[in-house]
Amino acid sequence: MTEPLLVDRTEAVVTLTLNRPTAMNALDVALKEALRDTLAEVEADRSCRAVVLAGAGGSFCAGQDLREHVSTLESSAGKPLDTVRAHYNPIAARLASLPKPVVAAVRGMAAGAGASLAFLADIRLGGPSTSFLMAFAKVGLAADTGASWTLPRLVGHAKAVELLMLAEPVRADEASRLGLLTRMVDDDETVLPAAQELAARLAAGPTVAYGAIKRQLSVADAGTLADALAAEAQAQAICGKTADHRAATLSFVNKQKPVFEGR
């Protein structure tokens, strides 16, 4: 049986590949459970210092597997959207709070929950064929997998309303202009290698500080200046005690290149 999620470890970088290419990596229960559980393992793995999220084949992720969902709708047992609480919410919460950098290699289409997954990454790389589609309204649904939180932060409230309600595709150049993509490469074939190269660069950096940066930005996004200042003080108290900070400061004084160990 083909594994729904491929896990590749190259030194300190873990690449998680959604592996249902014949279905555009649509999210069925097996894939959602594998992603949810593997993210928990990755968070606890101290040897992992950066994560790449990718899709097999020519697409990133088409979102919810609607063929499977039809069966759920037709079944008299359970609630059809229980998957939001059981799968999508835990995945979104884990990705957003993961204390290490997450890079999304967005090749081809990212639709619905697939787009939402990409938006939860810290950095998103795309190529000429990359496109996003907030497809929820096309099937009579509102946003999920954190899109109502991430999308306004990326493009602003008014644009988020437009993307969610009109559900029109956003091609690569426009996605880059809007901030849905962080970086673009010229060739679709190089999207994943470029994402892995960037993740390796981040993995070699001060990953404790990266985790603290993610936490303090999350607080500042929704809080007051006082909240942000408190989060900054807490972050610096944590980072200031790390071996990375001490070694990097000494390296700077001695005009040497620092070596970070993530501790």
Side-chain angles (χ1 to χ4, degrees):
M1 181 179 177
T2 303
E3 293 294 328
L5 182 72
L6 302 180
V7 181
D8 174 73
R9 297 173 183 267
T10 303
E11 297 182 351
V13 176
V14 173
T15 300
L16 304 179
T17 303
L18 311 176
N19 189 37
R20 300 187 68 221
T22 59
M24 296 179 65
N25 302 313
L27 297 156
D28 63 0
V29 169
L31 178 51
K32 286 181 285 190
E33 289 182 346
L35 182 58
R36 179 195 62 193
D37 298 345
T38 302
L39 284 171
E41 295 170 5
V42 164
E43 179 171 351
D45 182 359
R46 293 177 63 89
S47 68
C48 169
R49 295 176 61 187
V51 175
V52 174
L53 186 62
S59 299
F60 180 72
C61 177
Q64 171 65 39
D65 186 328
L66 293 181
R67 292 183 183 276
E68 182 184 74
H69 188 58
V70 165
S71 299
T72 305
L73 290 173
E74 293 176 346
S75 170
S76 59
K79 298 177 182 179
L81 271 301
D82 273 356
T83 188
V84 173
R85 290 188 174 87
H87 304 117
Y88 289 127
N89 283 359
I91 290 169
R94 186 79 63 179
L95 274 174
S97 64
L98 206 66
K100 50 197 80 179
V102 179
V103 180
V106 190
R107 176 178 173 177
M109 173 61 74
S116 300
L117 290 176
F119 298 156
L120 288 160
D122 301 304
I123 297 175
R124 293 162 299 284
L125 271 70
S129 75
T130 298
S131 63
F132 295 95
L133 177 63
M134 305 313 296
F136 302 102
K138 285 183 174 292
V139 290
L141 291 175
D144 62 34
T145 320
S148 65
W149 186 82
T150 56
L151 196 55
R153 285 164 171 77
L154 291 171
V155 302
H157 180 90
K159 193 66 178 181
V161 170
E162 177 188 341
L163 295 178
L164 286 166
M165 288 191 176
L166 297 184
E168 296 172 343
V170 182
R171 307 299 179 190
D173 288 345
E174 178 72 356
S176 180
R177 186 185 69 80
L178 290 174
L180 299 178
L181 285 175
T182 312
R183 294 186 175 185
M184 285 272 292
V185 296
D186 295 331
D187 183 355
D188 290 323
E189 296 297 327
T190 64
V191 171
L192 179 56
Q196 291 173 322
E197 181 180 351
L198 181 56
R201 172 184 165 186
L202 290 166
T207 47
V208 174
Y210 294 156
I213 288 168
K214 291 176 69 167
R215 288 191 298 273
Q216 65 184 190
L217 288 176
S218 179
V219 170
D221 273 341
T224 63
L225 174 59
D227 295 329
L229 293 174
E232 289 176 358
Q234 181 184 43
Q236 297 298 53
I238 293 170
C239 294
K241 295 177 181 178
T242 62
D244 279 349
H245 168 63
R246 295 170 184 268
T249 302
L250 186 60
S251 294
F252 179 84
V253 170
N254 292 326
K255 298 182 179 180
Q256 299 172 338
K257 184 178 179 179
V259 176
F260 297 104
E261 299 180 356
R263 60 183 182 88

